[in-house]
Amino acid sequence: MRQVLRQHPALRDDIGDLTTRRPLPSRDLPQLDPFLFLNHHGPQVYAPGNHGLPFGPHPHRGFETVSFILRGEMAHLDSGGHESVIGAGGVQWMTAGSGLVHAEISPESFKQSGGPLEILQLWVNLPARLKMTQPSYTGLQRADIPAIAVPGGTVNLISGDFEGQSGPYVSLNGVAMMTVELEARARLTLPAPSARTVFLYVVAGEPFVGGTSCREAHLIELDQGGDEVEITTQAPVTLLYGHAVPIGEPVVAHGPFVMNTREEIHAAIEDYQAGKFGAIAG
């Protein structure tokens, strides 16, 4: 069984009126290869007549963004012509690849009526061979995601395999990703293949991981000492859990671009400024 090495707190970094905490990157953990970045927005309640999410059109190149809508809803538009509104329990998985402009905003109905909102956004790196791949987008509603019953809870399987089932999203780079909801006094063993990096973020509650008490809103860094992770609970817990093969390549990041060299970053900026990423219609 894998054991806990360190716990990294999600530090507060609000974006306007959007409550935001971020455990990755941090001073002690610049990346968890291939996982680059996690923002935890909310939980909070928006009043009627709000301005909604602040993420208007902006570019990306060289990696993937995965957004988990835990409460509320989020609209997606991008320069590839993709458009959707995903509700609570759904996921938006976008491969920026060679370059895309997208917006993540609140639909008009949410801005008018308000309501609860909680969203996680994870950035997943791509290896050099895939950084300039064709951009793509997949929007999954809660009903599209298998809810696998486990003793004392549920595993919502987005990508990869678990208990003989496969998630609906097939990752370019073999990333497995799921959310886990456990009740009090639950015990669950999750796969953690020894050659892979495990991503474990405690969204809510205080689980025991490999026997170690872990804190809410902390990223849990694990050792390489096994191929499984044991989770136990005394009270309800929600986790974001995944695993992937580390890429092991140089990472050069500049704002919304993640490449392997400084020269590739300059090229991304020039291509974006030249309009090569396209624009969102309307």
Side-chain angles (χ1 to χ4, degrees):
M1 290 287 178
R2 296 212 192 190
Q3 302 297 315
V4 174
L5 281 179
R6 291 185 294 180
Q7 302 187 44
H8 304 272
L11 301 179
R12 192 75 176 260
D13 189 15
D14 291 355
I15 302 170
D17 60 358
L18 179 62
T19 301
T20 301
R21 292 168 288 172
R22 183 178 307 117
L24 184 73
S26 69
R27 182 184 62 185
D28 297 326
L29 191 67
Q31 66 165 319
L32 194 60
D33 185 13
F35 305 103
L36 300 170
F37 174 99
L38 180 69
N39 263 353
H40 184 174
H41 303 300
Q44 65 192 101
V45 177
Y46 275 76
N50 64 81
H51 297 293
L53 292 166
F55 306 116
H58 58 281
H60 288 303
R61 172 181 278 180
F63 64 103
E64 300 183 289
T65 67
V66 190
S67 300
F68 307 83
I69 296 85
L70 304 182
R71 308 181 198 185
E73 53 187 355
M74 184 164 74
H76 171 97
L77 305 92
D78 68 44
S79 56
H82 307 107
E83 184 174 349
S84 69
V85 176
I86 301 298
V91 172
Q92 299 179 349
W93 197 307
M94 188 187 82
T95 301
S98 60
L100 202 64
V101 174
H102 78 148
E104 299 158 301
I105 56 178
S106 298
E108 287 301 321
S109 58
F110 184 86
K111 290 192 281 187
Q112 292 174 10
S113 301
L117 184 76
E118 185 173 16
I119 294 171
L120 307 172
Q121 186 173 87
L122 177 66
W123 290 12
V124 183
N125 199 11
L126 289 171
R129 64 183 178 84
L130 293 174
K131 282 193 175 294
M132 296 298 285
T133 196
Q134 179 73 24
S136 63
Y137 169 79
T138 299
L140 299 170
Q141 302 288 4
R142 178 190 288 273
D144 300 322
I145 298 169
I148 301 171
V150 295
T154 304
V155 170
N156 304 294
L157 183 61
I158 298 147
S159 66
D161 301 322
F162 180 75
E163 296 291 315
Q165 296 195 49
S166 297
Y169 186 81
V170 179
S171 163
L172 284 176
N173 206 29
V175 177
M177 190 58 58
M178 61 197 76
T179 59
V180 180
E181 301 166 289
L182 296 175
E183 299 298 329
R185 296 176 297 281
R187 181 184 300 272
L188 176 64
T189 299
L190 292 169
S194 58
R196 289 180 158 237
T197 300
V198 168
F199 188 92
L200 172 54
Y201 177 68
V202 182
V203 180
E206 296 191 340
F208 288 82
V209 178
T212 298
S213 177
C214 292
R215 300 181 62 186
E216 184 173 277
H218 279 62
L219 179 66
I220 311 304
E221 184 182 359
L222 302 177
D223 67 10
Q224 296 294 121
D227 56 11
E228 294 180 321
V229 178
E230 184 180 73
I231 312 293
T232 58
T233 68
Q234 294 181 340
V237 162
T238 300
L239 308 173
L240 176 61
Y241 185 82
H243 52 80
V245 175
I247 295 171
E249 296 175 353
V251 174
V252 180
H254 180 80
F257 309 123
V258 181
M259 303 302 289
N260 296 103
T261 68
R262 184 62 57 186
E263 291 73 21
E264 290 170 335
I265 292 291
H266 293 323
I269 295 170
E270 291 173 358
D271 287 349
Y272 170 61
Q273 292 174 340
K276 294 182 180 180
F277 286 20
I280 294 175

